[in-house]
Amino acid sequence: MFNFDLNHIEKALNNARIAKVGFAQDFNQARSKPVQAPLLYVLPLDEDYQPTNSITGQDEYAVTELFAVMIVIPCLSANRKTDQRIETLRERVKTALAGLTFTPYEPIKLHRGRMVELNVQTNNLIYQCQFSVSGHITINTKEPT
């Protein structure tokens, strides 16, 4: 298994009932049109493979994958209510995901967060919560066919 299955994350967020979880491919649309209610999007960010062991016919790698939960909320003006709303959503997303474990990976870890955009045309505020997940994979060497 080369890639961490982000469907697990979408399912966990849906089960937590924080906000509607949109499809990753629709994220750009959410950046260009006003949203009426908070939306969450799960996006892959990065993966890193570090060789750990090698024996004849097999290579082992420590893999770390980064993914983001993009929080999109309507924001007509920057005020205390908007600050409280994004703070609550950030907290709920982190609570829902940090520490979750999906075999064969280690528990999900908090990585970082940042405000991505406050769009004056759409009045959308976008915040990115980043997480990391690590594991090991073994690759068997093979001859070209």
Side-chain angles (χ1 to χ4, degrees):
M1 176 157 62
F2 282 103
N3 299 314
F4 180 72
D5 186 356
L6 293 177
N7 289 317
H8 294 307
I9 303 307
E10 290 175 349
K11 184 176 180 181
L13 290 170
N14 276 321
N15 289 342
R17 298 177 187 248
I18 298 165
K20 180 181 177 193
V21 179
F23 296 110
Q25 63 267 28
D26 295 336
F27 176 64
N28 276 337
Q29 185 177 19
R31 294 183 81 173
S32 61
K33 293 185 178 176
V35 297
Q36 303 304 311
L39 289 169
L40 306 176
Y41 295 92
V42 179
L43 304 175
L45 294 179
D46 188 35
E47 50 190 47
D48 181 50
Y49 296 90
Q50 296 294 322
T52 59
N53 240 346
S54 185
I55 59 173
T56 304
Q58 288 188 328
D59 293 323
E60 186 177 288
Y61 295 88
V63 60
T64 300
E65 294 194 37
L66 298 179
F67 65 90
V69 176
M70 307 302 283
I71 303 170
V72 183
I73 65 167
C75 178
L76 297 176
S77 64
N79 57 37
R80 189 171 292 150
K81 183 178 178 183
T82 301
D83 288 348
Q84 184 179 9
R85 192 174 198 189
I86 195 68
E87 184 178 321
T88 300
L89 288 166
R90 288 170 47 205
E91 183 69 24
R92 291 187 67 198
V93 166
K94 292 174 191 176
T95 299
L97 298 181
L100 275 180
T101 305
F102 300 98
T103 305
Y105 291 89
E106 296 173 14
I108 294 171
K109 294 180 175 54
L110 299 169
H111 186 67
R112 68 174 61 128
R114 68 187 182 102
M115 189 173 90
V116 174
E117 172 176 294
L118 178 54
N119 188 313
V120 293
Q121 281 79 35
T122 63
N123 292 318
N124 292 342
L125 181 128
I126 301 175
Y127 190 90
Q128 181 183 68
C129 292
Q130 293 182 12
F131 299 87
S132 69
V133 62
S134 300
H136 288 84
I137 61 168
T138 302
I139 299 173
N140 295 318
T141 57
K142 52 193 165 224
E143 297 293 323
T145 56

